Amino acid sequence: MYCTMSWVLSVSQPRAPTASYEPVRSSLFSILNALGIIAFAFRGHNLALEIQATMPSTFKHPAHVPMWRGAKAAYLLIAMCLFPVAVGGYWAYGNMMPPGGLLTALYAFHSHDIPRGLLATTFLLVVLNCLSSFQIYSMPVFDSFEAYYTGRTNRPCSPWVRSGFRVFCGFISLFISVALPFLSSLAGLLGGLTLPVTFAYPCFMWIRIKKPERFSFSWYLNCGLGVLGTAFSLAFSRSLGGVWSIV
């Protein structure tokens, strides 16, 4: 909802007079860091197996079938929301887009032209989206806290203890986001570090589970893709750009 509101409000206003569409000179490391941020934005697929593990699955009705349908529908919806943001934001602001993104540009260029109620609603929807997505992306961390507590005390977590773990994790996340001035570069670094979960680990897991004949075509293909994904993610692209931007 807030994606649609942000680009519609930007396109509906007069274009900034200083907006230009000339290419902007950027270093290679800045480009690589930007690719890392894009990879970090699609980090949700790393939780696909966590979600699938909670679904009932049998040989007749395996869980991966509805999971795959849901993943395709989810990414189609994501594309329908984000591609207009990219196109509309570039049309409205060009290379005048500030580092904070479309919402920052919307407030900087049109805060006096757009009713404050619409701006407040847009930013409020962003806050609600962050709060809800935080609960999803942090589920493995919450599970780790609860498993450690249960193992040490030999009793289940009460609602108060579970709530305390979530509040503590939220406080730590808020402190890191406020205390680190290079958080955008850190997002690119984390995107590079987590990208092998998509490109490399599935290939090695397939070899481990299926056990194809050694030095066969399938063995070479999956090993090559896994090594290539790891090397491209960690050495040549996202992580390198993220480290350079932080330094």
Side-chain angles (χ1 to χ4, degrees):
M1 184 65 180
Y2 73 89
C3 292
T4 304
M5 291 184 64
S6 61
W7 73 263
V8 168
L9 291 176
S10 298
V11 172
S12 63
Q13 299 298 318
R15 189 162 41 185
T18 55
S20 175
Y21 304 104
E22 295 295 328
V24 180
R25 290 187 176 182
S26 300
S27 64
L28 176 61
F29 295 106
S30 297
I31 297 174
L32 297 179
N33 183 58
L35 294 176
I37 295 175
I38 294 174
F40 185 69
F42 285 88
R43 66 199 179 280
H45 53 210
N46 298 336
L47 289 176
L49 296 179
E50 293 277 348
I51 300 173
Q52 183 173 329
T54 63
M55 299 174 59
S57 180
T58 62
F59 287 104
K60 187 176 182 181
H61 300 287
H64 69 84
V65 175
M67 192 69 191
W68 177 238
R69 293 175 182 172
K72 290 190 292 185
Y75 276 99
L76 177 61
L77 183 60
I78 291 173
M80 292 172 60
C81 293
L82 295 186
F83 274 109
V85 171
V87 177
Y90 184 71
W91 179 90
Y93 307 109
N95 58 13
M96 299 297 296
M97 181 70 69
L102 189 59
L103 291 176
T104 303
L106 185 65
Y107 184 81
F109 292 102
H110 304 298
S111 59
H112 300 290
D113 304 325
I114 299 175
R116 291 300 180 95
L118 286 177
L119 286 176
T121 302
T122 304
F123 282 94
L124 179 61
L125 290 175
V126 174
V127 173
L128 294 178
N129 175 74
C130 293
L131 291 176
S132 59
S133 60
F134 176 80
Q135 302 298 322
I136 298 175
Y137 295 137
S138 300
M139 282 305 298
V141 180
F142 298 154
D143 291 341
S144 299
F145 282 152
E146 294 176 12
Y148 179 79
Y149 175 84
T150 304
R152 291 295 299 269
T153 61
N154 293 323
R155 58 182 180 182
C157 288
S158 64
W160 288 106
V161 174
R162 189 176 290 110
S163 300
F165 285 148
R166 281 158 170 75
V167 172
F168 174 75
C169 185
F171 172 77
I172 295 298
S173 302
L174 178 62
F175 175 78
I176 293 175
S177 62
V178 173
L180 299 182
F182 48 83
L183 189 62
S184 60
S185 299
L186 186 64
L189 175 62
L190 294 178
L193 293 176
T194 58
L195 207 60
V197 175
T198 301
F199 286 153
Y201 295 167
C203 301
F204 298 135
M205 290 171 60
W206 188 89
I207 294 176
R208 184 71 175 178
I209 296 173
K210 297 295 184 180
K211 295 181 174 57
E213 184 179 353
R214 198 174 181 84
F215 305 119
S216 63
F217 175 76
S218 299
W219 188 86
Y220 274 119
L221 178 63
N222 285 274
C223 284
L225 291 176
V227 172
L228 181 63
T230 303
F232 179 75
S233 301
L234 300 181
F236 298 107
S237 182
R238 279 82 171 171
S239 298
L240 187 60
V243 171
W244 179 267
S245 299
I246 293 174
V247 175

